[in-house]
Amino acid sequence: MTAQNQIIEALNAARHIVVLTGAGVSAESGIPTFRDPLTGLWQRFDPMELASAQAFRRNPALVWGWYEWRRMKVMQAQPNPAHRALARLAKHTPQMILVTQNVDDLHERAGSRDVIHLHGSLLQPRCFACAREPQSRLPVPNEPEQGRELEPPRCEHCGGRLRPGVVWFGESLPEAALSRAFSAAQEADLLLVVGTSGVVYPAAELPTIARSVGARVIHINPQLSLEDGDWGIAGAAGEILPQLIA
Ligand code: OAD
């Protein structure tokens, strides 16, 4: 039996699947991963210097401009076969929970429901001062060429600046999302880890939790790194997942 057949059998037999996705799943939709160097207008910036509260305090227009550029990229992008295959998998599994570190909405647009966003969302800004969310949706972002720096809109409640609704360096993950993800991993019989480097905690703890309850951990990544007992297929999610979930 090939590894692929073994994995298909395990997916068929699983009663409770947890899927953990990372930037690699959105890479084939044209959204760069975190370890890819920034390109174009943003190439001289380090994401570490844009994705923090200190950076926002220092230069809110620069940070907001960067996130607006990223939001525009996401709005222009389409879900790829990996997103669609995962939405299909949920329909054929008694219980499946999709946990993502991605801040885009490509899983939802591919048809996945109730996605747990561990690192927040580019599409749900909140006030930097009072944390309340605006009632109206943000307008479609400007083209990045129209100005790299963009003054953030003001909060309709307190007049503070809006910030992107993502988790920045040095911030805690949203508690409810994290606890749902951990509980799901404790109940899983199979954890499918797709397109994540697995270096950022606490998301990277999910495989450890799943292994500790005896779940099979399966990785899909062009750069596989497997712990003892894990299974994996080296390759692009958009090619491998549709074959596994056909
Ligand atoms: P990374 O950029 O660290 O890793 C992307 C992973 O995707 C790597 O392991 C690649 O080998 C893999 N990959 C690339 N192309 C792929 C493809 N076509 N199919 C499958 N896999 C592919 O991204 P994440 O692991 O998501 O946190 O990063 C985790 C967190 O680090 C991010 O959410 C972000 C960052 O700091 C926050 O913003 C809080």
Side-chain angles (χ1 to χ4, degrees):
M1 197 158 40
T2 63
Q4 182 153 325
N5 285 341
Q6 265 175 318
I7 291 174
I8 291 170
E9 266 186 26
L11 287 170
N12 272 328
R15 313 294 304 162
H16 186 155
I17 297 180
V18 174
V19 181
L20 171 65
T21 66
V25 169
S26 294
E28 289 164 76
S29 294
I31 311 280
T33 70
F34 289 88
R35 319 298 147 190
D36 289 334
L38 294 180
T39 53
L41 280 174
W42 295 98
Q43 69 188 358
R44 64 195 181 83
F45 291 96
D46 176 353
M48 302 282 278
E49 283 163 21
L50 293 168
S52 72
Q54 292 91 310
F56 189 77
R57 273 194 204 96
R58 208 164 38 234
N59 190 343
L62 178 67
V63 172
W64 184 259
W66 186 54
Y67 280 97
E68 281 295 271
W69 173 77
R70 291 181 56 194
R71 189 165 71 93
M72 188 195 68
K73 286 272 185 215
V74 165
M75 288 178 79
Q76 290 171 341
Q78 296 303 325
N80 67 53
H83 296 105
R84 288 195 288 274
L86 291 172
R88 221 161 38 242
L89 179 63
K91 296 205 174 102
H92 299 287
T93 306
Q95 193 176 4
M96 183 181 122
I97 296 192
L98 179 48
V99 181
T100 188
Q101 297 164 88
N102 298 342
V103 292
D104 60 55
D105 63 346
L106 295 174
H107 282 305
E108 285 88 345
R109 279 158 54 195
S112 288
R113 296 279 160 265
D114 205 18
V115 179
I116 300 178
H117 280 271
L118 283 181
H119 293 166
S121 163
L122 275 179
L123 309 169
Q124 284 167 345
R126 64 175 184 273
C127 177
F128 189 60
C130 76
R132 277 181 283 188
E133 293 182 3
Q135 269 157 13
S136 44
R137 283 173 155 262
L138 286 176
V140 174
N142 288 328
E143 290 291 316
E145 286 73 15
Q146 286 177 7
R148 191 176 57 225
E149 298 196 4
L150 281 175
E151 193 49 44
R154 293 285 172 165
C155 171
E156 60 220 356
H157 305 286
C158 77
R161 290 188 171 92
L162 292 191
R163 57 159 285 176
V166 302
V167 175
W168 278 334
F169 293 109
E171 292 183 329
S172 310
L173 273 62
E175 235 169 71
L178 188 61
S179 92
R180 281 185 65 208
F182 278 11
S183 312
Q186 270 154 6
E187 286 161 17
D189 49 17
L190 191 153
L191 175 69
L192 186 59
V193 183
V194 192
T196 172
S197 54
V199 295
V200 176
Y201 283 81
E205 259 170 60
L206 291 179
T208 314
I209 296 173
R211 279 181 212 111
S212 75
V213 296
R216 172 70 65 192
V217 179
I218 298 174
H219 302 261
I220 312 294
N221 197 312
Q223 303 196 342
L224 273 186
S225 91
L226 300 181
E227 297 267 318
D228 276 356
D230 288 4
W231 293 353
I233 298 185
E239 283 170 33
I240 307 292
L241 285 176
Q243 292 169 23
L244 295 177
I245 302 167

